[in-house]
Amino acid sequence: MGDPLADCSARLQEQERQIRTLSAEIESLKNPRALEPSPQLASLKEENAKLKYRLNTLKRSLQADPAPGSRAMLNINQRLQEVFEDAIRAACPQVADPPLAVTPGRDPKFGDYQCNSAMALGQMLKARGEKVTPREIAQKILENLPENELIEKTEIAGPGFINIHIRKPFVSKLLTNLLLNGVQPPPLPVRKKVIVDFSSPNIAKEMHVGHLRSTIIGDSMCRLFEFLGYEVVRLNHVGDWGTQFGMLIAHLQDKFPDYVTSSPPIGDLQAFYKESKKRFDEEEDFKKRAYRCVVRLQSKEPEIIEAWTLICDVSRAEFQRVYDCLQVKLIERGESFYQEMMKAVVEELKQKGVLELDEGRHIVFVPGQSIPLTVVKSDGGFTYDTSDLAAIHQRIFQERADIIIYVTDSGQSTHFQLVFAAARMLGWYDPLVTRVEHAGFGVVLGEDKKKFKTRSGDTVRLMDLLDEGLKRSMDKLKDKERDKVLTPEELTQAQRSVAYGCIKYADLSHNRINDYVFSFDKMLDDRGNTAAYLLYALTRIRSISRLASLDGGALAAAVASTPILLDHEKEWKLGKCILRFPEVLSKILEDLFLHGLCDYLYELATTFTEFYDSCYCVEKDRQTGEVVKVNMWRMLLCEATAIIMAKGFDILGITPVSRM
């Protein structure tokens, strides 16, 4: 056998030579002197289009070739789209913006992928007065497809569907690349800055189940962007300013008059808040003093600022307990951060002549919106509208963010659409340049399908929910007698992994737009699309190498020397499923629906089960139980599956353990 590196280098050099030759041919065709009017002009133009197509194909072949030097996973669907886009343009040069539809095949008997563009092209050409059937268009597309190492064969089915069969050696090479380099994202042309605004509890109030979705969804979005190489800023827009602080500070002064010199023992901030609210509603003198405290807070009097800071610090400590359990990292940047900026925003609105006076308040109407933004109340105070306008201004002009995502409940959708529309009206951002999006979500329901509450009707505290998850997780592990085989440390790790993983997965596996029913029984069920099932599946996959007495070194050596065979239909199905990971992430990047990743991981786990039940990875002597044969290429498929599942869990914020 020849040197693979030398062979590949020679191939690359030959491709580069062809590119230079083809480029020269195209330039000669463009030369006006070489194209004097003649009957052959039409054929020359057609040849020009074909040469451009071949040139682009060769360039992409150079870029897409996994060796040498390329570490990133290849998005097969995207690569097919590139190939078919060029073929479609060459086949139908008269269509300026041809439709492109390449999707994974539904039935493996009819191919691995399918291109459905011919039908839409047929309609477009018919509208132009050209009589051509979709099957004829499909045939012309195929005539313009080049030989490449990706596509094994194609066939036209039905009215004009193009079935695409992928080459097994190419898939095998991509799987080897994955095992050699790990899960590597494609390099970004430009490293963009992403701001994700999520969680956002209110100071002096306990985090409740309503904050669960924003925290979990926002963290997972950040993890996805971070994995793909973006610069991510995780912002916690806490409610740390406003009139409620007046009553809290006044109550603090009464209950702990020496708070400046001696830190008050506020153990239950929620009870403290309720006490101050009760006094505010019932005691007129207290209410007046609370309003004066608000004025003093806005004036930033040192003593009042100290009281405000103390209350915020107590809240932060409580919030951090939740974030530590869920392994969530955030940068706090509350409403107080934007106070001075709000004044500047209001001044800009005045200068641009968009402020209107309405019964003592200052409002802004946005074109196409029937509801105004209230930026200054009749008492001169600012509002949530003002705060969010200042925040988006700061994120665009100071942070210079390329992407800004707000993760809040869908009930705030109208508010954010108004804020975004106002920012566009004011010329702060161009939606074609800066992506600004509200990722809304539904509410958490109890098993009675009503808003999730305690039996007494109170909102469920988030820490109570997490503690209950730990208890139920341990009960589940003991029911399976895992406490008899795991060390105390392993048991605790498994308890936390299952408890918090199941809570996160139950949320993320649902379409975030919809409400979802919170049920510990369902999320801890180790059957079906749950974290419990997937965590056990990953543990099982990893145990196969231990069964074969293979360590990391043996697997690494096998990757370098063992081709991954995909002859069995279940091997082929698993190999293709593993390599769909980049396609799944690419789609989530566009629509921000993380349940697509959960669905994929469940599909991967069930596809692996089919493979494992049909294909022997480790063969044992039936009498002695000793391992007599290890089918190494199948062990490599096990390892590739585990690598993808682990990365998927990481993006979802779930921590698997080695033993469960």
Side-chain angles (χ1 to χ4, degrees), residues 88 94 207 246 265 350 479 508 568:
I88 290 167
Q94 67 272 46
M207 287 183 75
K350 285 179 182 177
D479 285 346
L508 295 168
H568 194 286

Side-chain angles (χ1 to χ4, degrees), residues 4 24 67 134 137 178 230 238 259 275 286 313 345 375 393 398 421 508 537 597 617 647:
I137 296 170
L178 166 64
Y230 291 79
V238 298
Y259 71 88
E275 290 170 9
F286 180 82
D313 286 345
V345 165
V375 292
H393 186 277
Q398 292 185 23
L508 295 168
L597 177 55
C617 297
K647 177 50 67 177

Side-chain angles (χ1 to χ4, degrees), residues 356-456:
E356 297 181 26
L357 192 62
D358 178 64
E359 297 182 352
R361 62 186 185 139
H362 288 85
I363 62 174
V364 175
F365 273 103
V366 180
Q369 304 289 334
S370 58
I371 305 171
L373 288 166
T374 300
V375 292
V376 183
K377 296 186 292 186
S378 56
D379 63 2
F382 296 137
T383 68
Y384 287 122
D385 294 347
T386 331
S387 172
D388 282 324
L389 281 171
I392 195 171
H393 186 277
Q394 190 271 343
R395 293 165 187 180
I396 291 168
F397 291 102
Q398 292 185 23
E399 293 286 349
R400 298 191 178 281
D402 301 289
I403 302 170
I404 307 171
I405 300 168
Y406 295 78
V407 186
T408 74
D409 65 90
S410 295
Q412 298 186 52
S413 176
T414 300
H415 163 72
F416 281 111
Q417 295 313 316
L418 282 170
V419 171
F420 301 163
R424 292 193 299 270
M425 177 187 73
L426 294 164
W428 291 353
Y429 79 94
D430 178 352
L432 297 177
V433 177
T434 306
R435 178 182 179 183
V436 180
E437 191 166 341
H438 175 233
F441 53 80
V443 299
V444 182
L445 304 176
E447 295 194 63
D448 58 0
K449 305 294 175 68
K450 296 179 181 178
K451 204 165 183 180
F452 197 28
K453 301 276 187 180
T454 63
R455 289 182 180 177
S456 61

Side-chain angles (χ1 to χ4, degrees), residues 209-214 216-217 441-452 462 465 502-520 522-523:
V209 71
H211 296 109
L212 182 67
R213 300 208 74 184
S214 178
I216 290 173
I217 295 169
F441 53 80
V443 299
V444 182
L445 304 176
E447 295 194 63
D448 58 0
K449 305 294 175 68
K450 296 179 181 178
K451 204 165 183 180
F452 197 28
L462 196 42
L465 193 76
C502 285
I503 289 171
K504 289 184 178 185
Y505 193 87
D507 191 316
L508 295 168
S509 61
H510 289 82
N511 185 322
R512 60 174 166 79
I513 295 297
N514 300 332
D515 301 340
Y516 90 96
V517 175
F518 190 98
S519 168
F520 274 122
K522 288 182 180 178
M523 64 179 65

Side-chain angles (χ1 to χ4, degrees), residues 163-414:
N163 294 331
I164 307 163
H165 297 260
I166 304 300
R167 293 182 186 231
K168 289 183 180 179
F170 184 73
V171 169
S172 177
K173 182 162 42 171
L174 292 180
L175 290 167
T176 299
N177 192 51
L178 166 64
L179 289 164
L180 285 171
N181 300 308
V183 189
Q184 299 290 338
L188 295 172
V190 178
R191 189 169 187 242
K192 293 185 176 182
K193 188 173 190 178
V194 182
I195 291 178
V196 183
D197 179 329
F198 68 105
S199 192
S200 308
N202 289 312
I203 293 292
K205 293 184 180 179
E206 297 250 28
M207 287 183 75
H208 55 77
V209 71
H211 296 109
L212 182 67
R213 300 208 74 184
S214 178
T215 304
I216 290 173
I217 295 169
D219 177 59
S220 188
M221 285 182 185
C222 290
R223 289 171 178 269
L224 173 62
F225 280 108
E226 286 162 350
F227 167 66
L228 294 174
Y230 291 79
E231 178 188 355
V232 179
V233 181
R234 300 157 157 262
L235 289 188
N236 197 3
H237 190 86
V238 298
D240 66 350
W241 202 258
T243 54
Q244 76 273 21
F245 281 95
M247 67 184 190
L248 289 166
I249 293 169
H251 188 53
L252 179 71
Q253 291 172 329
D254 291 346
K255 195 166 184 177
F256 304 104
D258 59 346
Y259 71 88
V260 175
T261 56
S262 178
S263 181
I266 305 176
D268 189 341
L269 199 55
Q270 188 78 359
F272 187 84
Y273 180 90
K274 288 180 179 179
E275 290 170 9
S276 64
K277 183 70 169 68
K278 186 173 186 295
R279 292 185 67 190
F280 185 84
D281 292 339
E282 297 176 359
E283 302 174 25
E284 192 61 34
D285 287 345
F286 180 82
K287 180 184 284 190
K288 290 178 181 177
R289 194 149 51 84
Y291 279 130
R292 287 197 295 272
C293 284
V294 173
V295 175
R296 293 172 68 190
L297 176 63
Q298 291 172 341
S299 300
K300 298 187 178 179
E301 290 187 18
E303 181 183 332
I304 300 300
I305 288 293
E306 189 163 344
W308 170 76
T309 302
L310 189 151
I311 292 167
C312 289
D313 286 345
V314 174
S315 271
R316 286 190 191 102
E318 287 300 307
F319 298 161
Q320 197 57 46
R321 288 179 63 204
V322 172
Y323 297 142
D324 287 344
C325 287
L326 297 176
Q327 295 182 303
V328 173
K329 294 181 180 179
L330 284 147
I331 298 171
E332 184 183 309
R333 195 174 290 173
E335 293 170 9
S336 61
F337 178 82
Y338 302 101
Q339 285 304 299
E340 294 303 316
M341 301 176 198
M342 291 189 215
K343 298 174 185 177
V345 165
V346 172
E347 185 59 35
E348 180 178 342
L349 296 174
K350 285 179 182 177
Q351 290 178 0
K352 291 187 174 179
V354 296
L355 271 188
E356 297 181 26
L357 192 62
D358 178 64
E359 297 182 352
R361 62 186 185 139
H362 288 85
I363 62 174
V364 175
F365 273 103
V366 180
Q369 304 289 334
S370 58
I371 305 171
L373 288 166
T374 300
V375 292
V376 183
K377 296 186 292 186
S378 56
D379 63 2
F382 296 137
T383 68
Y384 287 122
D385 294 347
T386 331
S387 172
D388 282 324
L389 281 171
I392 195 171
H393 186 277
Q394 190 271 343
R395 293 165 187 180
I396 291 168
F397 291 102
Q398 292 185 23
E399 293 286 349
R400 298 191 178 281
D402 301 289
I403 302 170
I404 307 171
I405 300 168
Y406 295 78
V407 186
T408 74
D409 65 90
S410 295
Q412 298 186 52
S413 176
T414 300

Side-chain angles (χ1 to χ4, degrees), residues 574-632:
L574 179 60
K576 290 186 296 178
C577 189
I578 290 168
L579 294 178
R580 276 187 35 236
F581 188 57
E583 299 174 25
V584 173
L585 298 190
S586 178
K587 186 175 186 303
I588 299 170
L589 201 63
E590 294 176 6
D591 60 28
L592 302 178
F593 285 111
L594 290 152
H595 69 275
L597 177 55
C598 299
D599 291 344
Y600 166 75
L601 290 176
Y602 180 61
E603 180 188 346
L604 180 59
T606 54
T607 302
F608 177 84
T609 299
E610 291 178 18
F611 155 78
Y612 192 69
D613 290 345
S614 302
C615 303
Y616 289 115
C617 297
V618 181
E619 298 183 34
K620 291 183 176 182
D621 185 289
R622 293 188 178 183
Q623 293 182 339
T624 65
E626 293 181 3
V627 174
V628 295
K629 184 179 180 182
V630 176
N631 294 315
M632 192 59 74

